[in-house]
Amino acid sequence: MDQLYREAILDHYRYPRHKGHLDDPDVSYHDHNPFCGDEITLELNIEDGVVVDAAFDGRGCAISQASASMMTEEIIGKPLEELRGWTKDDILELLGIEIGPVRLKCALLPLKALKAGVWGIEDWPHEE
Amino acid sequence: MMTSIETIRADFPILQRTVKDHPLAYLDNAASSQKPLAVLQAMDDYYRHTNANVHRGVHTLSEEATRLYEGARGRIGRFINAGSSKEIIFTRNATEAINLVAYSWGLDNLGPGDEVLITEMEHHANIVPWQLVCQRTGATLRYIPIDARGDLRLDLLDELLTERTRLFAFVAMSNVLGTINPTAQLVARAHTVGALALVDGAQSVPHMPVDVQALDCDFLVFSGHKMCGPTGIGVLYGRRDLLEQMPPFMGGGDMIREVHMDGSRWNSLPWKFEAGTPAIAEAIGLGAAVDYLSELGMPWVREQEHALVNYAVEKLSQVEGLRIIGPDGDQRGGVVAFTLDDIHPHDIAAILDSEGIAIRAGHHCAQPIHDHFGIVATARASFYFYNTFEEVDRLVAAMEKVQSVFSF
Ligand SMILES: Cc1ncc(COP(=O)(O)O)c(C=O)c1O
């Protein structure tokens, strides 16, 4: 099977975790990738600097949606302090695959939304 | 001329390669075509034996390079039946050719109250330059909508094409829908209201016979890389009297006759529009490409692709959950854009790539079409004369694999 679609990715795509909306989120941020139409809304509840709950909604390719599901699952319980330092490598590690530059944009959309939603960083990731 | 597909495929070295351990099935020809040996050799020969700047030196190499470069212009002109090679302006690609007309003709001739008419099925290359120039001049940009099948709403033509229209710019064949527009008829309609007609031939010139005198168009643009030629070379065909009146697009060397501190005089056609050292090897490569295509015969190229696309439409329509956009096989060029269930086109293309099949996924630089159909992206297979029915079969078979990977 194609390395890009390992079972864990397909599983998160088919059965996304934490998909939907929080009742009264502290942070809500919508982002999209006009090139391929991937969309994501990320919502967070934060207490004492820690992500206590998170949800996402969206549509798009398997990579972007699996990345959103995996990231949302992973960030719950983590302090913002720690998440602020996350880079593309943290997402690639979650996904467990190597991807080319075009699909990388899909994979990084959820983290991009996190950075913009929590810290107002709008220009991440910088083109390398 | 009729040759077997195997012989023709042997002319294209890249078609022998494998991708992910499968023989390459290259079905992304609307984006860019592959190049035959004749083109690679023409460029290689030029660099090995002739390379020099054109129009400048009095030495042998420069004279030979100039002869080759201008010879290519002549052959390309004959390929589209231009009345004179002065009407063939070399550009980087179709996009630059449209921008040349937009900035040179448009800035000089458009103003408030004037209209430019384009269509909803244009490539961004034939939308954005007009948006920019209309903004600068105060002219209004109008669009002919498309219908549910992907044809132009020609019933609205009388309403949209009026004596206010200064230019009607439209695509001869859509790179997404495959729709072949009635080009000669549309040019004639433009002329009845006194408008000029620009034809975007990026998808027609590579795939079917095109005769600018029969079409009677004022401008025709196309790109070399989609028709067996190299990247970096494209063509603006323009009616000579219009080109004579238009100011230069870019300034520099080669496009001038005299330069003085207080002003300059322009060179004659076509060089007035070719500032700086041109893409010499690429022009020669495109000259070799039109020779290659002429030898095959453009009616044969069209027939071959017609058979392939009819077969592809028929086979793909039988795949459950697959939706093709655009007209039926007969009025369609060699392009099939589709969606499959609600699987994202990027995922379709990635699975196909793992089978050695190259297709494109996205909006194909034609977002308004996708907006029209309420979808963000499509997967697109596009054919050239060297594709085979077996490759279509592989494409169709791969759809099952895509569905099995993404079945819930
Ligand atoms: C219909 C049409 N017009 C214009 C273009 C632009 O061609 P280029 O990018 O070579 O300038 C394309 C290329 O995809 C096209 O399909």
Side-chain angles (χ1 to χ4, degrees):
Chain A
M1 233 315 284
D2 189 23
Q3 152 67 26
L4 194 53
Y5 296 99
R6 65 187 190 92
E7 201 41 57
I9 289 179
L10 289 172
D11 188 61
H12 274 268
Y13 177 58
R14 291 179 187 131
Y15 312 107
R17 329 293 201 256
H18 307 282
K19 186 157 176 173
H21 293 274
L22 301 179
D23 284 338
D24 186 16
D26 298 320
V27 173
S28 173
Y29 192 82
H30 177 84
D31 203 350
H32 79 297
N33 173 353
F35 175 70
C36 53
D38 292 339
E39 277 187 52
I40 167 171
T41 302
L42 184 67
E43 296 179 349
L44 306 174
N45 276 330
I46 294 167
E47 273 170 35
D48 301 328
V50 172
V51 177
V52 291
D53 204 359
F56 81 96
D57 197 13
R59 57 185 190 140
C61 69
I63 304 294
S64 71
Q65 300 305 302
S67 170
S69 169
M70 288 172 161
M71 186 190 86
T72 307
E73 189 173 45
E74 195 67 20
I75 62 177
I76 295 173
K78 289 220 160 50
L80 291 179
E81 199 63 29
E82 179 186 336
L83 294 176
R84 184 161 191 157
W86 270 26
T87 67
K88 90 176 188 218
D89 293 337
D90 294 283
I91 297 294
L92 291 183
E93 200 171 307
L94 284 177
L95 290 166
I97 50 169
E98 303 240 337
I99 22 185
V102 173
R103 303 306 298 279
L104 192 60
K105 289 207 171 68
C106 311
L108 296 185
L109 186 64
L111 183 55
K112 186 165 172 275
L114 179 72
K115 290 189 181 263
V118 178
W119 301 284
I121 305 170
E122 304 269 356
D123 59 347
W124 187 87
H126 308 283
E127 300 295 333
E128 273 134 53
Chain B
M1 192 199 64
M2 271 297 300
T3 331
S4 81
I5 292 294
E6 282 66 43
T7 324
I8 287 171
R9 288 178 70 84
D11 291 338
F12 292 79
I14 207 170
L15 297 181
Q16 328 305 324
R17 74 162 278 182
T18 56
V19 168
K20 312 256 158 91
D21 297 329
H22 298 276
L24 165 67
Y26 186 76
L27 304 180
D28 193 18
N29 294 285
S32 200
S33 79
Q34 299 302 346
K35 326 300 175 200
L37 270 173
V39 169
L40 305 179
Q41 271 162 2
M43 296 176 72
D44 189 67
D45 277 355
Y46 166 74
Y47 278 126
R48 280 174 198 273
H49 305 296
T50 317
N51 180 53
N53 213 326
V54 290
H55 303 146
R56 303 187 183 176
V58 288
H59 58 78
T60 303
L61 294 191
S62 176
E63 279 175 5
E64 286 180 12
T66 305
R67 205 173 321 126
L68 287 173
Y69 177 70
E70 293 303 331
R73 191 195 307 278
R75 299 215 293 288
I76 294 160
R78 283 192 290 283
F79 184 69
I80 56 168
N81 196 30
S84 156
S85 61
K86 292 187 185 309
E87 299 181 315
I88 303 297
I89 314 290
F90 284 128
T91 61
R92 274 191 305 140
N93 45 38
T95 302
E96 187 176 281
I98 295 171
N99 276 275
L100 192 163
V101 176
Y103 285 90
S104 168
W105 177 86
L107 287 184
D108 246 29
N109 287 280
L110 295 172
D114 291 334
E115 293 179 2
V116 173
L117 181 63
I118 62 174
T119 84
E120 198 180 0
M121 66 165 78
E122 297 309 310
H123 186 280
H124 296 167
N126 200 29
I127 300 176
V128 184
W130 303 116
Q131 290 177 336
L132 289 168
V133 165
C134 285
Q135 257 167 28
R136 295 253 304 255
T137 57
T140 304
L141 185 59
R142 293 194 176 277
Y143 296 81
I144 302 179
I146 52 180
D147 64 18
R149 234 178 59 118
D151 285 327
L152 289 178
R153 288 280 311 273
L154 293 181
D155 55 311
L156 299 176
L157 201 57
D158 277 336
E159 221 170 283
L160 289 164
L161 184 65
T162 68
E163 67 287 353
R164 288 186 301 279
T165 312
R166 303 294 315 279
L167 177 82
F168 180 19
F170 62 91
V171 70
M173 177 191 139
S174 161
N175 65 313
V176 177
L177 301 164
T179 313
I180 297 173
N181 288 316
T183 308
Q185 186 192 324
L186 294 179
V187 171
R189 291 286 291 271
H191 289 166
T192 28
V193 298
L196 297 179
L198 180 149
V199 176
D200 176 354
Q203 298 294 345
S204 63
V205 175
H207 299 287
M208 59 193 75
V210 172
D211 176 334
V212 288
Q213 297 191 56
L215 289 179
D216 197 27
C217 56
D218 301 290
F219 301 106
L220 170 81
V221 304
F222 54 98
S223 284
H225 68 93
K226 294 180 198 282
M227 51 191 288
C228 296
T231 54
I233 189 83
V235 172
L236 167 67
Y237 157 83
R239 241 178 51 211
R240 188 166 169 180
D241 57 320
L242 284 168
L243 294 175
E244 299 278 12
Q245 291 158 24
M246 284 159 53
F249 172 45
M250 291 192 279
D254 240 21
M255 51 75 67
I256 37 74
R257 176 158 294 141
E258 290 168 39
V259 177
H260 302 288
M261 305 262 282
D262 57 355
S264 303
R265 289 199 325 127
W266 315 137
N267 203 340
S268 52
L269 288 176
W271 307 291
K272 176 170 93 177
F273 291 106
E274 293 178 7
T277 300
I280 304 165
E282 287 75 8
I284 292 166
L286 181 55
V290 301
D291 285 350
Y292 184 85
L293 290 171
S294 303
E295 188 127 330
L296 292 177
M298 291 310 289
W300 178 82
V301 167
R302 168 69 188 130
E303 247 171 63
Q304 190 67 12
E305 290 174 27
H306 194 201
L308 281 167
V309 80
N310 267 333
Y311 183 67
V313 167
E314 182 198 322
K315 289 285 167 175
L316 286 170
S317 317
Q318 291 163 13
V319 176
E320 210 172 310
L322 191 144
R323 173 184 170 217
I324 295 175
I325 62 169
D328 310 329
D330 263 343
Q331 265 316 299
R332 181 190 276 271
V335 168
V336 189
F338 58 90
T339 57
L340 183 63
D341 303 323
D342 47 13
I343 303 169
H344 195 283
H346 271 177
D347 293 323
I348 300 174
I351 302 273
L352 262 55
D353 181 61
S354 72
E355 301 280 303
I357 304 169
I359 64 157
R360 181 144 175 210
H363 53 55
H364 321 297
C365 298
Q367 263 182 317
I369 295 179
H370 289 81
D371 290 348
H372 175 92
F373 288 100
I375 44 188
V376 283
T378 50
R380 178 188 72 184
S382 56
F383 307 104
Y384 214 1
F385 54 83
Y386 44 62
N387 289 123
T388 64
F389 290 86
E390 291 75 50
E391 287 174 323
V392 176
D393 289 337
R394 279 175 62 194
L395 171 74
V396 176
M399 292 305 138
E400 266 171 46
K401 176 162 181 200
V402 174
Q403 283 176 319
S404 78
V405 171
F406 288 100
S407 63
F408 281 47

